Amino acid sequence: QLQASGGGLVETGGSLRLSCAASGRTATSYSMGWFRQAPGKEREFVATISWRGATTYYADSVKGRFTISRDNAKSTVYLQMNRLKPEDTALYFCAATRNYTSPRTDEYDYWGQGTLVTVSS
């Protein structure tokens, strides 16, 4: 029900926009989040947005560089990533939760398949 896309290879300082297309009730009724997992590391929280888009919350490591948004008419959530750094390299996942915005992976009910972001130095 969640399909992430938009990953790719970019140089340090560059930008990418990830998209997460949702279907069913997750499209508009759920809060959404982005998480990432680098090789050999645990999955970590990146950003989350409430179902109406009124509330957002970011990990300190991406605050000021990444922006999460959603277009419920298109059933899509976005992650605009600017000023990318090599440490942003990871597999990025979108997820949906019935709970309000949360940074905890165990509070998310549905997960997409991930899209790979590679930032070269």
Side-chain angles (χ1 to χ4, degrees), residues 15 21 27 43 46 54 57 65 74 110 115 121:
S15 299
R43 192 169 299 187
V46 176
Y57 178 60
R65 299 188 298 122
K74 296 182 178 179
Y110 301 100
T115 185
S121 56

Side-chain angles (χ1 to χ4, degrees), residues 4-6 13 26 34 41-42 57 62 68 70 98 101 105-106 117:
S5 62
T26 56
W34 285 98
K41 295 187 177 181
E42 293 188 352
Y57 178 60
V62 306
I68 189 171
R70 68 190 298 163
R98 298 180 184 89
T101 53
T105 57
D106 61 355
V117 172

Side-chain angles (χ1 to χ4, degrees), residues 64-93:
R65 299 188 298 122
F66 291 10
T67 302
I68 189 171
S69 62
R70 68 190 298 163
D71 184 341
N72 286 343
K74 296 182 178 179
S75 303
T76 303
V77 177
Y78 304 98
L79 184 69
Q80 177 66 44
M81 306 186 296
N82 298 328
R83 291 184 282 138
L84 283 161
K85 305 175 181 180
E87 51 263 44
D88 294 318
T89 295
L91 191 60
Y92 282 71
F93 299 87

Side-chain angles (χ1 to χ4, degrees), residues 2-62:
L2 299 176
Q3 182 74 34
S5 62
L9 174 64
V10 64
E11 293 183 347
T12 296
S15 299
L16 281 175
R17 188 177 79 159
L18 306 184
S19 299
C20 177
S23 60
R25 290 187 62 190
T26 56
T28 56
S29 302
Y30 286 46
S31 294
M32 301 292 292
W34 285 98
F35 293 79
R36 66 187 182 186
Q37 187 166 16
K41 295 187 177 181
E42 293 188 352
R43 192 169 299 187
E44 66 174 7
F45 167 74
V46 176
T48 183
I49 187 167
S50 59
W51 74 274
R52 287 184 175 178
T55 301
T56 58
Y57 178 60
Y58 298 90
D60 288 343
S61 59
V62 306

